[in-house]
């Protein structure tokens, strides 16, 4: 299976939802901040950390919290391209706290970075913060992670008990090799007397020849 050429859907533009929840003071701050970043890109280093304090931190949508969305507005205001944009985004991620890192990862699909942000995704996937792992596995990772790394990321989600419906692109990218890996995982769980996560079963069922009759029988008994 090759890396898909058609990228999964990017997250929604956060601006309309933000306009409905920010008060006049926060809206003015964000509008001025975006304009400042567009004129002087280094200003983002000062404004990006302040977004939660100035705009709030509640839930905005299924994809964004308020502070993540505000930070996305600042990031997408950057007039940089290519490596210059990647360098600035990497700086913000590396010097940011987990909330700032989540905002960077969730905004990647809205930025024209090609493969340049893959190191940030890989860094998140190497860690144990499940919120960062989940944020990293959005539309950007689904479009750019090589097959072997994408499969390992899915398997890590299963081990970390991150629901697979939060992994972007899984319907398109699940293949026989991923099913084989999940079948090995399911077999180990069954041998150990532990439950098999329900959300791996649809992938296994697409490739019944990979899981074999014995495992199919065991899965039915565990249903």
């Amino acid at each position: 299976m090759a890396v898909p050429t058609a990228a999964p859907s990017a997250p929604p533009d956060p601006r309309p939802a933000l306009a409905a929840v920010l008060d006049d003071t926060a809206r003015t701050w964000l509008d001025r901040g975006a304009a400042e970043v567009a004129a002087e890109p280094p200003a983002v280093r000062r404004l990006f950390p302040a977004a939660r304090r100035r705009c709030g931190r509640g839930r905005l949508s299924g994809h964004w919290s308020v502070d993540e969305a505000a930070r996305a507005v600042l990031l997408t205001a950057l007039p940089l391209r290519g490596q210059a944009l990647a360098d600035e985004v990497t700086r913000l991620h590396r010097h940011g706290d987990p909330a700032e890192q989540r905002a960077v990862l969730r905004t990647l699909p809205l930025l024209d970075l090609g493969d340049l942000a893959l190191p940030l995704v890989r860094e998140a996937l190497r860690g144990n913060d499940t919120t960062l792992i989940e944020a990293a596995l959005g539309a950007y990772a689904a479009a750019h992670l090589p097959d072997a790394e994408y499969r390992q990321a899915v398997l890590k989600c299963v081990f970390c008990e991150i629901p697979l419906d939060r992994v972007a692109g899984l319907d398109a990218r699940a293949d026989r090799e991923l099913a084989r890996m999940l079948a090995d995982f399911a077999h180990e769980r069954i041998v150990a007397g532990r439950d098999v996560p329900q959300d791996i079963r649809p992938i296994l069922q697409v490739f019944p020849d990979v899981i074999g009759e014995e495992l199919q029988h065991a899965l039915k008994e565990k249903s």
Side-chain angles (χ1 to χ4, degrees), residues 201-215:
R201 294 172 188 250
I203 300 174
L204 297 177
Q205 290 166 358
V206 173
F207 302 97
D209 58 312
V210 171
I211 66 176
E213 292 184 7
E214 182 180 358
L215 184 53

Side-chain angles (χ1 to χ4, degrees), residues 5 14 21 29 34-35 37 46 57 63 75 84 89 121 139 142 157 160-161 188 192 196-197 208 213 217 220:
T5 54
V21 301
W29 179 87
V37 168
R46 169 175 49 84
R57 59 188 296 173
H63 185 84
L75 287 178
V89 169
V121 173
C157 286
C160 293
E161 300 183 349
E188 291 173 3
V196 176
E213 292 184 7
H217 180 68
K220 287 179 182 178

Side-chain angles (χ1 to χ4, degrees), residues 11-22 26-27 30-31 33-35 37-38 60-61 63-66 68-79 107 110-111:
D13 184 341
R15 290 173 181 82
L18 276 175
V21 301
L22 294 183
R27 193 179 305 114
L30 186 59
D31 288 345
V37 168
L60 183 66
S61 69
H63 185 84
W64 302 110
S65 65
V66 172
E68 290 167 354
R71 287 168 171 150
V73 170
L74 297 174
L75 287 178
T76 54
L78 284 166
T107 307
L110 300 179
L111 304 174

